[in-house]
């Protein structure tokens, strides 16, 4: 109890919660009708408070930067001195000049930008409350604050994930007791599926900073790159018994992080420690939260010249308004928000006090970005023969990150590294190729995203260890040590074919090699059009169509009510898709267009996915997002609570995402699914869900093909250093891991699941389990062993898991099929090259 009083006294001195400021800025308590910490504030009231104070204070400016999938506004509040707020646009432009993002020398005005992002994980809900307290403190002024705001522009994003936050706030309101119960086993401390960490599509927004698959990330990154702050903090929560975590971060650090960035993290950590020591609050640094994977709210800013940090308070979705901890104390919402508030203010203080140094080193960071890399690649080349469709997807990403690219006037020969063949080769750069020079403001980010192998100081990372874009996007790419600058900025697409039929029209065709082709297919099917795909390559009118191309023949669409030419022209323009008009059904080579080797696609396909309790929410979110956003094709979510009772005959395809199905896929259910497949259903199983089908009589999937293979693998698994120290245990566990590495698979591209790919495919190992190649069935993608690894960490004892292993397979069963994806091809929606293969499996005739 004594401790409680001390904390409250401290808060009233430090936070000014109840004190009316000189400027008469309304306090959160006055606006909300309750004191901060007494309830969770719904997002519309947070927005309301920001609107209110920005109207009251000349030191604040509210800006909207987008809208969530559920229609909530995304806002930031700029806070600085009155003079700075009046001069905000000039400060911004000058800052971009300092970064070399705009032409001209930036004027060293000693001004810095501190960006604070709260509540990216919806159920880590104390930080938005802390944002309200921080805003009030800054706008209420006082000597210290006034001094800080002279040289510092603070950007406050009170809630990066409003949909997730409101899901938590509403859920908590429904589930809390009238009398505060702090026992952690109570229902208000255990969220129901899917929890509120993620956004609408169940994505973790704190993995999406680089890939920008979600609308929240896309909108935010545009604003972020208009400001490029010197400091960025991402506020989080962790388990309710943990001490507070702040910078400096843990190893591994990415090798491109500068000494200054490392040093200043320590500076910031020491400043926070001062306040935490004063109050006897426990904290830790240098453990658990590393700086390696670029999709986080600490690493992305770091690779963009800032000091990027994660702060973690105890609590998360478990803590509610109060929870009993292991020491017998009660951790309250007020405690949680007070800690986050304290580090918020301390961050602004230490940044402002060191503004000159921060500015100097920021300018230095970007100056160095324009120097040639002494020991590494200086230019990346993406071949134009990847096709407009695939290159455009990359360009969209480069544009969002403001990475510059261009083309040459004439072709040029050089030597360099071939990503796909994993060796050095002579290269000819054509004038049509995409050229990305490393000497530019975004040099560090560019290198992090493209380099084939990211240097790992220590293997115990919190996340995947490979993400290189040429593999993730499946783009034929080269890199060279030579500095080669483009002659013209931007990228000119290959010219498109004129759709107007020169002779009598027989139909239209386009090839398949990108996910955007399946989007077009989806639109054609939803129009009710009949579309065919060729199972054998053919050449007609002198143009070759590899297996898997799409044909819309007028003879197939006699009953179609719309104007085919109009629709095809519209689609061709909308998707910048090169559609070829056909004037004859006769082929110069391969089957004619009327041949049975051109198979009709089902234009009324009912696709369902298992959804709800026991399903891994991120993975079903990826499937859902693919259908609604990438393909715009309806997906029926089938809740696990009633799945056992449904009539499967209403479905054509059922997707089983990763999940824990011990109680759902029992013997009866597997029998039922098997019968449905035998009658023509298609089952598509992903990742960890495979284990419920493996080594079962009904299905062909096995861990081992035979005894000999089992012995071979056991031999590979024999571990010589058996004796070990207790402290090293975690490391030994890592030895068996292959998580997050990239492997080059051998792909059967004559199988419809492999249509549109070369004879290889790079897979991101997302699952540790190994499955043997199918003895009865189609082994579409396989790896033969650890020699197929091209990038990323693999534990030294993990070879056994890659020995002759299945990656993508299909089992024919009666009139239907079972498709197995051992790795998740839709991982975080950034493994761009997996989307086509997954969609192929769905829309396969
Ligand atoms: Zn978090």
């Amino acid at each position: 109890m004594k401790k409680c009083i001390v904390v409250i006294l401290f808060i009233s001195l430090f936070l000014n919660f109840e004190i009316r400021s000189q400027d008469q800025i309304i306090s959160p308590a006055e606006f909300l009708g309750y004191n901060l910490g007494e309830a969770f504030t719904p997002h519309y009231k947070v927005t309301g408070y920001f609107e209110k104070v920005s109207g009251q204070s000349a030191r604040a400016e509210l800006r909207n930067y987008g809208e969530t999938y559920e229609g909530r506004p995304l806002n930031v509040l700029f806070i600085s001195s009155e003079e700075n707020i009046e001069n905000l646009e000039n400060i911004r432009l000058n800052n971009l000049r300092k970064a070399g993002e705009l032409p001209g020398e930036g004027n060293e005005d000693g001004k810095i930008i501190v960006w604070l992002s709260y509540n990216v994980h919806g159920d880590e809900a104390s930080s938005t409350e802390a944002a309200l307290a921080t805003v009030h403190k800054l706008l209420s002024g006082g000597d210290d604050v006034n001094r800080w705001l002279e040289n510092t522009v603070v950007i406050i994003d009170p809630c990066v994930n409003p949909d997730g936050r409101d899901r938590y706030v509403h859920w908590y309101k429904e589930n809390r007791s009238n009398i505060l119960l702090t026992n952690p086993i109570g229902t208000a401390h255990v969220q129901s599926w899917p929890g509120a960490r993620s956004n609408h599509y169940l994505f973790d927004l704190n993995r999406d900073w680089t890939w920008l698959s979600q609308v929240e990330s896309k909108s935010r990154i545009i604003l972020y790159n208009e400001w490029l702050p010197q400091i960025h903090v991402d506020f989080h929560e962790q388990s309710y018994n943990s001490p507070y975590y702040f910078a400096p971060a843990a190893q591994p650090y990415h090798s491109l992080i500068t000494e200054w960035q490392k040093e200043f993290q320590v500076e910031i950590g020491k400043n926070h420690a001062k306040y935490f020591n004063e109050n006897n609050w426990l904290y830790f640094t240098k453990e658990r939260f590393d700086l390696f994977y670029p999709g986080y709210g600490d690493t992305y800013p770091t690779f963009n010249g800032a000091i990027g940090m994660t702060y973690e308070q105890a609590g998360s979705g478990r803590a509610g308004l109060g929870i009993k901890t292991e020491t017998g104390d009660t951790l309250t919402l007020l405690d949680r928000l007070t800690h986050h508030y304290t580090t918020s203010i301390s961050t602004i203080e230490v940044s402002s006090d060191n503004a000159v140094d921060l500015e100097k080193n920021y300018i230095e960071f970007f100056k160095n970005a324009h120097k040639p890399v002494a020991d590494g690649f200086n230019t990346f080349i993406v071949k134009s023969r990847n096709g407009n469709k695939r290159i455009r997807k990359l360009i969209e990403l480069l544009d969002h990150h403001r990475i510059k690219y261009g083309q040459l006037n004439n072709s040029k020969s050089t030597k360099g590294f071939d990503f796909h063949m994993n060796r050095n080769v002579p290269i000819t750069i054509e004038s049509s190729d995409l050229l990305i020079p490393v000497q530019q403001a975004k040099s560090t980010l560019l290198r992090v995203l493209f380099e084939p192998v990211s240097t790992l100081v220590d293997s115990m990372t919190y996340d995947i260890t490979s993400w290189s874009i040429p593999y993730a996007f499946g783009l034929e790419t080269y890199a060279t040590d030579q500095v080669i600058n483009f002659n013209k900025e931007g990228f000119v697409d290959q010219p498109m074919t004129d759709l107007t039929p020169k002779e009598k029209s027989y139909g239209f065709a386009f090839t398949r090699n990108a996910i955007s082709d399946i989007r077009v297919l989806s639109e054609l099917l939803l129009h009710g059009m009949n579309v065919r795909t060729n199972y054998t390559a053919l050449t007609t009118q002198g143009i070759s169509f590899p297996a898997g191309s799409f044909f819309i023949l007028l003879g197939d669409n006699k009953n179609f009510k719309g104007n085919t030419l109009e629709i095809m022209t519209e689609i061709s323009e909308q998707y910048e898709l090169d559609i070829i008009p056909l004037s004859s059904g006769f082929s110069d080579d391969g089957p004619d267009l009327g041949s049975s080797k051109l198979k009709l696609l089902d234009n009324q396909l009912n696709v369902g996915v298992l959804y709800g309790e026991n399903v891994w929410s991120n993975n079903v979110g990826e499937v859902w997002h693919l259908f609604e956003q990438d393909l715009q094709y309806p997906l029926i979510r089938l809740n696990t609570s009633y799945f056992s009772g449904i009539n499967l005959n209403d479905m054509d395809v059922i997707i089983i995402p990763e999940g824990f199905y011990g109680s759902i896929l029992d013997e009866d259910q597997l029998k039922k699914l098997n019968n449905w497949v035998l009658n023509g259903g298609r089952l598509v199983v992903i990742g960890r869900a495979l284990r419920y089908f493996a080594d079962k009589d009904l299905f062909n999937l096995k861990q081992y093909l035979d005894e000999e293979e089992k012995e071979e693998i056991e031999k590979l698994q024999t571990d010589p250093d058996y004796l070990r120290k207790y402290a090293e245990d975690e490391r030994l566990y890592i030895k068996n891991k292959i998580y997050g590495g990239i492997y080059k698979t051998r792909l059967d591209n004559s199988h419809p699941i492999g249509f549109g790919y070369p004879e290889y495919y790079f897979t991101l190992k997302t699952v540790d389990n190994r499955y043997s190649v199918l003895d009865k069935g189609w082994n579409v993608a396989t790896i033969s062993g650890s020699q197929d690894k091209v990038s990323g960490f693999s534990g030294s004892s993990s070879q056994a898991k890659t020995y002759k292993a299945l990656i993508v397979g299909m089992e024919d069963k009666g009139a239907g099929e079972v498709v197995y994806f051992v790795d998740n091809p839709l991982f975080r929606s950034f493994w761009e090259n997996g989307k086509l293969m997954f969609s192929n499996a769905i829309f396969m005739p």
Side-chain angles (χ1 to χ4, degrees):
M1 190 38 112
K2 233 179 198 167
K3 193 184 154 200
C4 257
I5 294 168
V6 176
V7 170
I8 289 166
L9 273 179
F10 168 79
I11 289 162
S12 55
L13 289 173
F14 195 57
L15 298 194
N16 285 340
F17 276 177
E18 300 90 20
I19 302 164
R20 202 71 195 252
S21 59
Q22 312 112 312
D23 306 13
Q24 296 295 298
I25 298 298
I26 192 169
S27 73
E30 285 168 310
F31 181 83
L32 301 169
Y34 53 83
N35 291 315
L36 284 181
E38 287 176 358
F40 288 102
T41 309
H43 187 257
Y44 78 92
K45 284 193 178 168
V46 177
T47 306
Y49 183 69
F50 273 41
E51 280 166 356
K52 184 82 183 172
V53 295
S54 66
Q56 285 183 331
S57 175
R59 302 206 288 187
E61 191 178 308
L62 185 66
R63 201 168 296 174
N64 175 271
Y65 68 87
E67 194 179 278
T68 67
Y69 288 112
E70 293 174 15
R72 293 183 178 86
L74 294 160
N75 293 324
V76 289
L77 192 67
F78 291 81
I79 302 178
S80 196
S81 68
E82 219 175 303
E83 196 192 329
N84 287 342
I85 289 293
E86 272 171 25
N87 201 25
L88 212 50
E89 183 60 6
N90 285 331
I91 293 177
R92 182 181 82 79
L93 295 174
N94 190 51
N95 192 60
L96 289 183
R97 268 180 226 116
K98 289 183 208 170
E101 264 289 290
L102 288 180
E105 282 275 303
N107 157 29
E108 289 185 37
D109 53 4
K111 295 204 195 304
I112 55 152
I113 296 151
V114 175
W115 184 310
L116 307 177
S117 291
Y118 298 88
N119 218 162
V120 58
H121 291 142
D123 59 356
E124 299 172 3
S126 76
S127 72
T128 292
E129 312 292 338
L132 294 170
T134 305
V135 165
H136 183 240
K137 168 78 178 171
L138 293 177
L139 293 184
S140 300
D143 290 347
D144 285 345
V145 171
N146 294 344
R147 180 165 50 79
W148 302 335
L149 297 184
E150 287 290 307
N151 65 3
T152 306
V153 175
V154 184
I155 303 176
I156 299 216
D157 188 335
C159 189
V160 172
N161 175 13
D163 293 349
R165 176 181 174 83
D166 269 4
R167 196 183 312 143
Y168 178 76
V169 172
H170 292 307
W171 172 85
Y172 186 75
K173 209 174 234 179
E174 283 169 29
N175 283 278
R176 65 167 292 200
S177 312
N178 245 342
I179 303 159
L180 181 66
L181 296 179
T182 59
N183 189 327
I185 62 168
T187 186
H189 299 292
V190 186
Q191 291 177 76
S192 47
W193 195 93
R197 176 184 173 89
S198 50
N199 75 341
H200 173 75
Y201 281 114
L202 310 179
F203 273 63
D204 186 335
L205 294 180
N206 192 33
R207 302 291 184 275
D208 197 40
W209 275 75
T210 28
W211 318 121
L212 312 177
S213 70
Q214 302 300 294
V215 71
E216 292 89 348
S217 319
K218 266 189 203 129
S219 317
R220 184 179 61 250
I221 227 68
I222 293 170
L223 185 73
Y224 187 91
N225 280 308
E226 284 172 2
W227 285 90
L228 280 183
Q230 280 74 24
I231 302 279
H232 181 265
V233 184
D234 205 29
F235 289 88
H236 288 262
E237 291 190 64
Q238 52 184 337
S239 74
Y240 63 89
N241 281 317
S242 301
Y244 197 96
Y245 164 83
F246 49 72
Q251 287 288 355
Y253 282 23
H254 195 285
S255 59
L256 294 182
I257 296 174
T258 68
E259 283 311 308
W260 155 255
Q261 287 176 315
K262 289 177 203 165
E263 281 163 23
F264 201 71
Q265 288 219 1
V266 178
E267 207 62 41
I268 291 175
K270 283 183 178 164
N271 205 59
H272 299 343
K274 200 168 69 189
Y275 296 107
F276 277 61
N277 293 343
E278 251 169 50
N279 289 283
N280 290 324
W281 294 336
L282 295 185
Y283 57 90
F284 69 101
T285 65
K286 306 181 280 291
E287 287 174 57
R288 187 146 183 248
F289 302 99
D290 60 66
L291 288 177
F292 192 62
Y293 171 76
Y296 293 130
D298 52 14
T299 43
Y300 180 85
T302 303
F303 299 141
N304 284 280
I307 312 297
M309 293 169 294
T310 292
Y311 297 168
E312 298 265 356
Q313 161 61 37
S316 74
R318 295 289 311 270
L321 290 180
I323 194 165
K324 210 177 189 64
T325 65
E326 61 186 3
T327 60
D329 231 344
T330 297
L331 174 70
T332 65
L333 177 58
L334 184 60
D335 296 331
R336 290 152 65 199
L337 81 92
T338 303
H339 301 156
H340 268 338
Y341 163 82
T342 304
T343 52
S344 300
I345 298 296
S346 166
T347 303
I348 297 165
E349 178 189 46
V350 65
S351 305
S352 169
D353 287 349
N354 291 281
V356 174
D357 257 10
L358 271 170
E359 182 187 49
K360 187 173 87 117
N361 283 285
Y362 178 83
I363 292 172
E364 189 70 19
F365 178 94
F366 288 103
K367 269 212 175 105
N368 287 336
H370 287 87
K371 292 181 187 156
V373 176
D375 186 20
F377 299 133
N378 278 298
T379 313
F380 297 104
I381 302 117
V382 181
K383 294 304 286 181
S384 61
R385 56 175 167 261
N386 285 296
N388 291 350
K389 295 176 276 191
R390 294 168 85 99
I391 293 183
R392 219 175 288 126
K393 193 76 200 173
L394 171 66
I395 281 177
E396 197 186 302
L397 191 75
L398 298 178
D399 284 344
H400 268 97
H401 293 307
R402 294 199 178 207
I403 293 174
K404 294 191 173 71
Y405 51 85
Q407 287 173 309
L408 292 177
N409 284 337
N410 301 300
S411 62
K412 186 180 167 71
S413 293
T414 180
K415 271 188 293 192
F417 176 74
D418 177 342
F419 278 76
H420 283 194
M421 295 305 141
N422 205 10
R423 61 172 182 239
N424 289 320
V425 293
I427 323 167
T428 306
I429 311 170
E430 313 286 347
S431 58
S432 57
D433 293 343
L434 177 73
L435 200 73
I436 316 170
V438 169
Q439 287 72 51
Q440 57 169 306
K442 291 308 190 81
S443 169
T444 304
L445 180 67
L446 169 65
R447 290 171 66 193
V448 169
L449 293 183
F450 269 75
E451 282 184 349
V453 179
S454 298
T455 319
L456 198 62
V457 186
D458 185 316
S459 59
M460 303 261 285
T461 177
Y462 194 64
D463 213 294
I464 60 163
T465 54
S466 326
W467 47 77
S468 178
I469 283 194
Y471 303 120
F473 280 56
L475 288 167
E476 186 188 345
T477 304
Y478 300 85
T480 170
D481 296 351
Q482 292 208 13
V483 177
I484 305 171
N485 269 314
F486 49 74
N487 302 116
K488 38 187 196 286
E489 200 174 334
F491 181 75
V492 183
D493 278 356
Q494 302 295 303
M496 305 238 293
T497 311
D498 182 7
L499 268 187
T500 332
K502 299 200 175 41
E503 308 160 54
K504 184 209 167 303
S505 175
Y506 194 80
F508 304 88
F510 58 98
T511 57
R512 163 183 348 211
N513 70 355
I515 184 65
S516 57
D517 298 327
I518 308 295
R519 164 82 174 264
V520 171
L521 172 68
S522 148
E523 191 162 333
L524 296 172
L525 296 179
L526 292 174
H527 273 303
M529 293 173 90
N530 284 320
V531 183
R532 287 180 189 272
T533 186
N534 53 328
Y535 270 43
T536 311
L538 63 88
T539 304
T540 179
Q541 297 174 198
I543 302 170
S544 54
F545 291 94
S549 300
F550 296 110
F551 295 85
I552 302 95
L553 305 176
L554 297 190
D556 273 337
N557 287 286
K558 278 185 284 205
N559 296 328
F560 181 66
K561 297 278 185 297
N563 181 326
T564 318
L565 177 63
E566 242 170 52
I567 288 184
M568 297 313 290
T569 310
E570 226 176 81
I571 284 179
S572 161
E573 280 166 11
Q574 188 186 344
Y575 299 101
E576 297 176 58
L577 176 67
D578 202 9
I579 298 177
I580 313 292
L582 302 168
S583 54
S584 162
F586 188 84
S587 292
D588 315 322
D589 203 6
D592 295 322
L593 304 190
S595 156
S596 64
K597 292 197 169 112
L598 275 78
K599 295 197 192 297
L600 201 58
L601 291 142
D602 189 341
N603 61 14
Q604 272 165 27
L605 204 62
N606 286 304
V607 187
V609 66
L610 225 53
Y611 183 88
E613 207 70 59
N614 296 82
V615 180
W616 189 28
S617 64
N618 290 152
N619 190 212
V620 70
E622 286 151 3
V623 176
W624 182 19
H625 182 263
L626 175 85
F627 274 80
E628 285 195 357
Q629 297 295 321
D630 287 310
L631 304 177
Q632 304 220 339
Y633 193 88
L635 175 73
I636 303 165
R637 283 171 288 150
L638 304 164
N639 206 295
T640 47
S641 64
Y642 60 69
F643 182 70
S644 65
I646 66 168
N647 181 0
L648 295 179
N649 293 331
D650 294 337
M651 305 305 308
D652 301 302
V653 179
I654 294 175
I655 302 164
I656 315 255
E658 304 213 52
F660 307 94
Y661 300 120
S663 57
I664 294 159
L665 297 177
D666 57 14
E667 214 169 301
D668 286 349
Q669 273 305 309
L670 288 179
K671 251 186 225 157
K672 186 175 159 187
L673 280 170
N674 189 52
N675 285 333
W676 167 76
V677 172
L678 289 170
N679 286 317
R682 181 176 306 151
L683 197 59
V684 179
V685 191
I686 310 175
R688 288 167 189 85
L690 262 66
R691 72 179 104 144
Y692 301 96
F693 297 85
D695 304 318
K696 298 268 160 60
D697 293 341
L698 292 174
F699 301 90
N700 236 317
L701 188 69
K702 289 182 181 62
Q703 289 193 70
Y704 312 105
L705 196 54
D706 49 32
E707 280 307 307
E708 198 182 321
E709 190 182 275
K710 196 172 180 176
E711 269 170 40
E712 191 69 31
I713 287 169
E714 270 165 13
K715 249 188 266 163
L716 281 165
Q717 273 169 333
T718 314
D719 191 356
D721 46 2
Y722 184 71
L723 289 171
R724 58 191 199 220
K725 283 192 205 130
Y726 181 70
E728 284 176 352
D729 201 53
E730 210 169 338
R731 267 154 219 282
L732 282 175
Y733 165 75
I734 292 265
K735 268 188 142 174
N736 281 307
K737 290 270 157 195
I738 46 173
Y739 186 67
I742 298 171
Y743 285 73
K744 185 176 187 176
T745 70
R746 185 170 315 146
L747 184 76
D748 177 2
N749 64 359
S750 71
H751 190 280
I753 295 178
F755 282 171
Y757 287 87
E759 286 177 320
Y760 55 83
Y761 163 75
F762 294 97
T763 189
L764 180 72
K765 287 300 303 171
T766 60
V767 172
D768 249 353
N769 305 44
R770 171 196 180 269
Y771 298 100
S772 178
V773 291
L774 299 169
D775 60 347
K776 277 177 268 160
W778 305 100
N779 293 293
V780 181
T782 53
I783 45 180
S784 48
S786 50
Q787 66 272 24
D788 292 336
K789 191 189 86 171
V790 294
S791 173
F793 171 76
S794 292
S796 56
S797 306
S798 66
Q799 303 100 300
K801 293 182 173 161
T802 57
Y803 174 75
K804 277 203 253 170
L806 182 74
I807 300 300
V808 182
M810 185 175 105
E811 205 184 320
D812 289 322
K813 247 180 186 300
E817 306 86 16
V818 186
V819 181
Y820 302 110
F821 284 98
V822 175
D823 295 321
N824 170 14
L826 307 177
F827 189 72
R828 291 180 189 163
S829 193
F830 96 90
W831 204 255
E832 197 56 39
N833 201 27
K835 291 178 181 175
L836 175 63
M837 194 177 296
F838 187 76
S839 308
N840 283 351
I842 307 293
F843 292 96
M844 180 170 55

